[in-house]
Amino acid sequence: MEQLQSLTTPFKGLEARLKAFFDSRFWQFKVLFLSLAISVSTLLVFNFIFVDRGFRDLYQEMRHPGSIGGFFWDDIIKQGADPFTPKDYEAGSHEANQTFRLTVPLIAYALHLNVAGLYLLHVIVGLVFLWLVIQITYQILQNRLLVFYFLTGFTAIYAGANFYINYLGHADVFPFCFLALAFYLRNPFWMLLFTQLAFWCDERAIINSSYLGLWFVLPMLKEVIETKQFRLKQIPLQAAALVVSAGLYLIVRHWLSSTYGLKIGHDNALSHRTTWWSLSILGDKFTRGFEGFWLIIFAGMAVLVMLKDWLTFGLLLGCFMATAAISIMVADGTRSLSFGYMIFFFMLSTLRKHIPVSQLTYLLIVSTLISLMLPISFP
């Protein structure tokens, strides 16, 4: 019986061509635009009606701001013009939750943006975000092909595609980008600045900044456990800056509430119904959040268990459970899970150190192919 070729044979030929293509001083831009070309193409194939109707409505919203229900670009612009006056929005609505999300409205006001200008800025910030993801993942993986495989899949899920596909005006790419800037720059001052900008974009950035803090605190904790000694100077300045930033946010938010009467319009009954609804479709809700990239998380966690690195496993699981809990409590589960995108940096770091490059390559390829085939669904 004739022996068939390995299923990996086509990928070996592809890798040879990709290595030559990325052998350039501008390889980051090649990775960025080739990844987007692939993921956008598949999105148009599998989500064509969704995309077509959505961008037709976005065009109408640009021509007639506030005319399309469920679009929030014009609300952001109006909030920027009058950010400290309490608004009478329906309790539990997205608009009611926007009260303390001031960064993007104030940017729009400072730059005198209309709906079209704000969406264009949204796209530009998204490209900066993806460039940062390339830089961060290359620092971890030290392999251009692996970065390409990861980014292609990342731009096929909501976390990496929201900057152009979310035409509704949730503006999630701003906190995503600010958190990535804090992670990439690492200087305590920049961490303080960019986490502040992220926190005032969306409260979920505070919860998910736990990954950012863990990245810097984890080596210290391991050293303390190994040496059984602790000194205050061991505390990373980045972690201290993050704690100061969170405290500053809470203080200023309390001051805004007491001074201007600002508050979020909660609807407890709606929250309870949403939680039970989320639990009833938990598998579907979680799948839509990370799609094929769940394989990266499962593989990384499995490696930590095999290494018996219970400290890293437990702390990462704790961070993720906080992300998951928020996504269950709200209707926009895909968006909420995507705020935890920094878990992938931990998983890639673990996998790169402890499994062969060939296995990591095929893991990323399979994760990416699944994500490319699954249509993006949000919020």
Side-chain angles (χ1 to χ4, degrees):
M1 186 175 183
E2 184 179 356
Q3 181 70 40
L4 294 176
Q5 287 186 319
S6 169
L7 290 175
T8 65
T9 301
F11 293 107
K12 292 178 180 177
L14 174 64
E15 283 194 0
R17 292 180 175 85
L18 288 173
K19 284 181 180 178
F21 181 67
F22 294 137
D23 186 17
S24 164
R25 59 182 297 190
F26 302 109
W27 69 272
Q28 295 98 331
F29 295 99
K30 290 185 176 182
V31 166
L32 175 61
F33 291 108
L34 182 58
S35 298
L36 282 173
I38 294 171
S39 60
V40 171
S41 298
T42 59
L43 180 67
L44 291 175
V45 171
F46 295 113
N47 279 37
F48 179 75
I49 294 178
F50 173 74
V51 172
D52 179 57
R53 291 178 179 175
F55 281 98
R56 285 176 184 271
D57 286 343
L58 176 60
Y59 176 68
Q60 290 300 318
E61 180 70 9
M62 290 178 178
R63 293 188 60 191
H64 308 286
S67 62
I68 305 296
F71 279 61
F72 308 112
W73 303 103
D74 191 51
D75 294 312
I76 291 174
I77 293 169
K78 289 177 179 177
Q79 184 182 8
D82 188 18
F84 303 123
T85 299
K87 308 297 191 298
D88 187 24
Y89 290 121
E90 180 184 357
S93 65
H94 175 76
E95 296 89 338
N97 292 329
Q98 289 287 103
T99 304
F100 295 102
R101 300 175 186 177
L102 299 172
T103 301
V104 180
L106 291 177
I107 290 174
Y109 179 75
L111 298 178
H112 306 286
L113 299 177
N114 56 16
V115 173
L118 184 54
Y119 177 76
L120 177 61
L121 178 63
H122 195 259
V123 172
I124 293 171
V125 171
L127 293 174
V128 173
F129 171 56
L130 293 181
W131 185 85
L132 289 167
V133 170
I134 291 173
Q135 302 305 312
I136 293 169
T137 52
Y138 183 70
Q139 289 176 356
I140 295 170
L141 298 171
Q142 294 296 307
N143 185 304
R144 297 177 184 182
L145 274 179
L146 294 180
V147 172
F148 167 69
Y149 293 141
F150 176 82
L151 193 74
T152 303
F154 189 71
T155 54
I157 65 176
Y158 180 82
N162 75 92
F163 74 98
Y164 71 93
I165 190 58
N166 190 340
Y167 42 72
L168 298 176
H170 293 108
D172 292 324
V173 76
F174 287 91
F176 291 0
C177 186
F178 292 141
L179 288 175
L181 279 165
F183 189 100
Y184 178 67
L185 295 174
R186 306 193 179 191
N187 178 281
F189 171 77
W190 293 119
M191 282 198 66
L192 178 63
L193 174 62
F194 287 117
T195 53
Q196 276 294 290
L197 290 172
F199 295 168
W200 292 103
C201 284
D202 196 300
E203 299 82 2
R204 284 167 286 200
I206 301 174
I207 302 297
N208 290 281
S209 67
S210 57
Y211 296 103
L212 182 60
L214 183 59
W215 185 268
F216 298 103
V217 169
L218 189 58
M220 180 205 74
L221 293 176
K222 290 185 175 181
E223 181 183 352
V224 169
I225 292 172
E226 183 178 346
T227 62
K228 297 182 180 179
Q229 293 181 344
F230 172 72
R231 298 180 299 276
L232 284 176
K233 65 180 183 180
Q234 289 179 276
I235 300 175
L237 291 177
Q238 296 91 340
L242 183 60
V243 172
V244 170
S245 184
L248 180 61
Y249 171 83
L250 295 174
I251 291 170
V252 174
R253 176 165 168 159
H254 176 74
W255 178 78
L256 289 173
S257 297
S258 59
T259 303
Y260 295 100
L262 299 180
K263 63 180 182 179
I264 293 178
H266 286 296
D267 185 333
N268 291 329
L270 177 62
S271 296
H272 291 154
R273 290 197 302 270
T274 300
T275 300
W276 284 112
W277 169 76
S278 296
L279 291 171
S280 71
I281 58 166
L282 189 62
D284 175 69
K285 196 167 190 178
F286 275 22
T287 300
R288 287 187 286 129
F290 290 148
E291 300 182 11
F293 269 37
W294 279 109
L295 295 178
I296 299 175
I297 296 176
F298 293 152
M301 288 298 196
V303 169
L304 289 174
V305 169
M306 288 187 286
L307 292 171
K308 297 183 179 180
D309 187 351
W310 303 117
L311 177 65
T312 304
F313 179 85
L315 290 174
L316 270 177
L317 183 61
C319 290
F320 177 73
M321 291 303 291
T323 303
I326 297 299
S327 70
I328 291 172
M329 294 166 60
V330 297
D332 47 0
T334 298
R335 293 180 55 228
S336 294
L337 272 178
S338 298
F339 272 84
Y341 72 87
M342 279 190 285
I343 195 174
F344 295 124
F345 300 155
F346 286 91
M347 298 296 100
L348 291 177
S349 178
T350 299
L351 294 167
R352 183 67 177 88
K353 292 174 183 175
H354 298 291
I355 69 172
V357 171
S358 59
Q359 292 184 14
L360 180 54
T361 298
Y362 297 134
L363 173 66
L364 291 177
I365 289 174
V366 172
S367 300
T368 293
L369 288 175
I370 294 173
S371 298
L372 289 170
M373 290 188 296
L374 288 174
I376 291 178
S377 178
F378 68 90

